């Protein structure tokens, strides 16, 4: 048993240092000690500090290749990053989940007696909690009540998948507290996607949840979305003298659901021309032979987005091979190619409903100006707003970061590492 006071004493005595070093690196040790202690104190103030407490963590992710390919059963490459959501958790006797997240006024209170979608809850984090609980029960698992306090440095709308990190965090809490870790990381990801699609109301793919749940750098082949083929690959940017930079261009995702949904529906409309549900089932050569007829049925943007799908699936596999073979120059070239494909063909650099708001495009043009011939840059994630990614040589890092923050504000450019752990129960012996 470890109540709030006892677990804070253990953290301050260094008993969690080994786990924190694995998750965050030795340089972040002092900051993470303070972060976890403060989270425990905040939990105790809300819920009381006498129950047994435990910790869970789920990382954000950065997409490396395969932009908007997952929802049509394509191939992606992604990596977990060293920004995460942590939860301080205590089980309760009630069949109710209460989650209070730092920075949000409202506490999510979800009764597990009702595990059907609630229209009034759609678009809220409570829907995700309820949907994940429902998915666990559907798979023969168990759910129960708990109280949790969460704090996150995966900023909402940052393109690092704060929603997916939250989903797999909740899934891992249910998995650890009530199911003896019976569900795999991929199953956790699938349950998060189900909750987001069916309960929350967003037609997302499975890439974000898988990268957050599994950790490390991964390629994911969604040919069979019920059993995606996930492969980890060692990914050390620093050994090549580069840094991974993510810049938040400060655009809002609040009204972009229709833009995201249109990409999926348009890709699927092309597949439907061949009597298929998704583009993965369509032969690429047949697609190019039939472009004239497809244009008439779907419009040109759908055609271009389909062309992007085929090329970016292939690129994701090539990126994996380039990393595995330690061909970093080829990796950089493929990153730039994928970025151009997303902008020019997938057309998710900005929303056509808000053409005056093109922060992503501005970030890309600055990146190209500084890094052309030396590094790589691309939009990532859902697009339309949010973040861009860059691989920056050490001698240009200060110049690049300064330029991006001059435009998008202090602290907008994150210098990140790949995290080798996905969603985890944080114990001393991690």
């Amino acid at each position: 048993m470890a109540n709030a006071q006892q677990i804070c004493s253990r953290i301050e005595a260094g008993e969690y240092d080994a786990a924190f070093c694995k998750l965050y690196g030795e340089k972040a040790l002092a900051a993470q000690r303070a972060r976890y202690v403060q989270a425990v104190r905040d939990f105790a103030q809300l819920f009381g500090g006498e129950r047994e407490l435990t910790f869970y963590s789920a990382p954000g992710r950065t997409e490396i290749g395969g932009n908007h390919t997952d929802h049509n059963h394509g191939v992606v490459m992604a990596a977990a990053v060293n920004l995460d959501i942590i939860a301080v958790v205590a089980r309760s006797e009630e069949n109710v989940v209460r989650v209070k997240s730092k920075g949000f006024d409202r506490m999510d209170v979800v009764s597990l007696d009702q595990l059907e979608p609630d229209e009034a809850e759609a678009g809220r984090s409570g829907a995700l909690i309820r949907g994940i609980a429902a998915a666990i029960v559907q798979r023969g698992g168990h759910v129960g009540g708990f109280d949790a306090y969460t704090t996150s440095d995966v900023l909402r709308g940052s393109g690092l998948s704060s929603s997916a990190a939250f989903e797999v965090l909740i899934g891992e809490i249910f998995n650890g507290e009530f199911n003896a870790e019976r569900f795999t990381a991929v199953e956790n990801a699938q349950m998060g996607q189900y909750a987001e699609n069916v309960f929350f109301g967003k037609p997302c793919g499975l890439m974000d949840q898988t990268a957050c749940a599994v950790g490390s750098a991964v390629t994911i082949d969604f040919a069979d979305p019920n059993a995606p083929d996930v492969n980890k690959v060692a990914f050390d940017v620093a050994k090549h003298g580069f840094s991974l930079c993510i810049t938040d261009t400060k655009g809002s995702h609040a009204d972009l659901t229709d833009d995201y949904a249109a990409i999926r529906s348009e890709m699927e409309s092309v597949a439907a021309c061949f009597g298929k549900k998704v583009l993965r089932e369509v032969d690429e050569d047949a697609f190019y032979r039939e472009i004239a007829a497809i244009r008439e049925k779907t419009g040109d943007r759908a055609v271009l987005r389909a062309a992007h799908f085929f090329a970016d699936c292939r690129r994701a596999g090539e990126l994996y091979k380039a990393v595995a073979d330690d061909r970093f120059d080829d990796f950089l070239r493929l990153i730039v190619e994928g970025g151009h494909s997303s902008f020019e063909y997938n057309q998710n650099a900005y929303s056509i409903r808000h053409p005056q708001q093109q922060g992503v495009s501005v970030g890309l043009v600055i990146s190209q100006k500084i890094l052309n011939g030396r590094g790589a840059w691309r939009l990532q994630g859902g697009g339309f707003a949010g973040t861009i990614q860059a691989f920056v040589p050490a001698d240009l890092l200060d110049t690049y970061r300064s330029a991006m923050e001059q435009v998008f504000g202090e602290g907008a450019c994150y210098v990140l590492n790949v995290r080798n752990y996905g969603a985890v129960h944080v114990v001393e012996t991690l």
Side-chain angles (χ1 to χ4, degrees):
M1 290 283 292
N3 62 25
Q5 184 176 351
Q6 291 166 339
I7 206 165
C8 285
S9 296
R10 290 181 182 180
I11 293 171
E12 290 168 338
E15 294 183 26
Y16 279 81
D17 284 3
F20 292 164
C21 285
K22 289 178 181 179
L23 291 176
Y24 308 106
E26 190 172 351
K27 292 181 180 179
L29 185 56
Q32 293 301 329
R33 279 184 184 173
R35 180 187 183 208
Y36 275 73
V37 166
Q38 186 60 53
V40 172
R41 290 172 177 164
D42 290 342
F43 176 97
Q45 187 173 1
L46 282 166
F47 300 113
E50 296 308 313
R51 286 181 289 167
E52 182 177 7
L53 302 182
T54 189
F55 299 122
Y56 289 85
S57 163
R61 71 94 185 99
T62 184
E63 172 192 286
I64 297 171
N67 186 234
H68 279 283
T69 57
D70 56 335
H71 47 61
N72 267 250
H73 299 189
V75 184
V76 304
M77 186 174 182
V81 298
N82 60 325
L83 300 178
D84 69 342
I85 305 176
I86 64 170
V88 183
V89 177
R91 293 173 65 163
S92 73
E93 297 301 319
E94 300 176 79
N95 202 33
V96 174
V97 173
R98 298 179 181 87
V99 178
K100 177 65 170 65
S101 298
K102 181 179 179 180
F104 292 84
D105 294 333
R106 189 173 58 86
M107 181 184 299
D108 292 300
V109 180
V110 177
S111 171
L112 301 179
D113 294 333
Q114 197 280 98
L115 296 180
E116 296 296 325
D118 181 349
E119 288 187 9
E121 206 172 50
R124 298 179 179 177
S125 51
L128 298 174
I129 297 168
R130 193 181 307 279
I132 291 162
I136 288 173
V137 171
Q138 289 169 15
R139 291 171 180 254
H142 305 284
V143 296
F146 63 85
D147 296 331
Y149 178 79
T150 75
T151 179
S152 175
D153 52 16
V154 186
L155 300 179
R156 290 174 63 87
S158 67
L160 297 173
S161 290
S162 59
S163 60
F166 179 81
E167 290 158 21
V168 301
L169 177 75
I170 297 298
E172 188 60 21
I173 293 171
F174 280 125
N175 196 25
E177 296 298 311
F178 304 104
N179 294 279
E181 302 286 352
R182 64 175 281 189
F183 296 109
T184 67
V186 172
E187 288 174 319
N188 187 4
Q190 291 169 328
M191 292 187 290
Q193 183 203 25
Y194 169 80
E196 190 160 347
N197 287 176
V198 178
F199 284 70
F200 187 85
K202 181 178 178 181
C204 69
L206 188 57
M207 189 268 288
D208 293 351
Q209 292 86 351
T210 303
C212 294
V214 173
S216 190
V218 294
T219 53
I220 312 165
D221 188 331
F222 293 107
D224 179 358
N226 294 317
D229 183 17
V230 180
N231 293 289
K232 291 188 179 184
V233 60
F235 186 51
D236 187 354
V237 178
K239 78 173 185 179
H240 295 282
F242 278 71
S243 293
L244 167 60
C245 293
I246 302 295
T247 299
D248 181 3
T249 66
K250 305 298 175 70
S252 172
H253 289 81
D255 61 347
L256 296 176
T257 297
D258 290 345
D259 291 287
Y260 299 138
I263 295 178
R264 179 173 184 169
S265 64
E266 289 180 10
M267 288 183 179
E268 290 174 351
S269 73
V270 174
C273 293
F274 296 87
K276 306 296 184 181
K277 290 184 177 180
V278 293
L279 281 175
R280 182 60 178 266
E281 300 171 350
V282 175
D283 178 74
E284 183 179 359
D285 291 337
F287 161 75
Y288 277 100
R289 286 196 301 270
E290 299 296 327
I291 277 183
I294 297 169
R295 290 179 67 199
E296 293 297 320
K297 294 180 179 179
T298 68
D300 287 342
R301 190 172 70 172
V303 168
L304 293 170
R305 285 174 163 168
H308 164 80
F309 170 88
F310 290 119
D312 231 32
C313 285
R314 187 162 51 250
R315 252 189 303 272
E318 292 171 354
L319 282 163
Y320 172 86
K321 292 177 182 176
V323 171
D325 296 341
D326 206 23
R327 293 181 284 107
F328 198 69
D329 287 344
D330 288 339
F331 172 84
L332 295 176
R333 173 181 54 79
L334 290 164
I335 290 291
V336 174
E337 288 180 5
H340 281 297
S341 181
S342 292
F343 200 140
E344 297 164 13
Y345 304 131
N346 203 40
Q347 299 182 29
N348 61 321
Y350 62 94
S351 172
I352 59 173
R353 293 179 295 128
H354 307 289
Q356 284 73 37
Q357 301 172 21
Q358 296 195 38
V360 167
S361 306
V362 172
L364 292 172
V365 78
I366 296 170
S367 298
Q368 181 169 335
K369 174 69 174 176
I370 296 171
L371 300 177
N372 197 22
R374 296 287 313 281
W377 59 95
R378 65 189 289 272
L379 67 82
Q380 63 146 23
F384 301 109
T387 63
I388 65 168
Q389 177 189 95
F391 293 87
V392 182
D395 63 306
L396 290 178
L397 181 59
D398 289 343
T399 299
Y400 181 78
R401 192 171 190 176
S402 176
M404 301 306 279
E405 294 192 346
Q406 183 178 357
V407 174
F408 299 111
E410 185 177 355
C413 183
Y414 303 92
V415 181
L416 302 179
N417 297 314
V418 173
R419 165 167 148 161
N420 293 318
Y421 295 85
V424 292
H425 184 187
V426 181
V427 295
E428 298 97 316
T429 56
L430 181 66

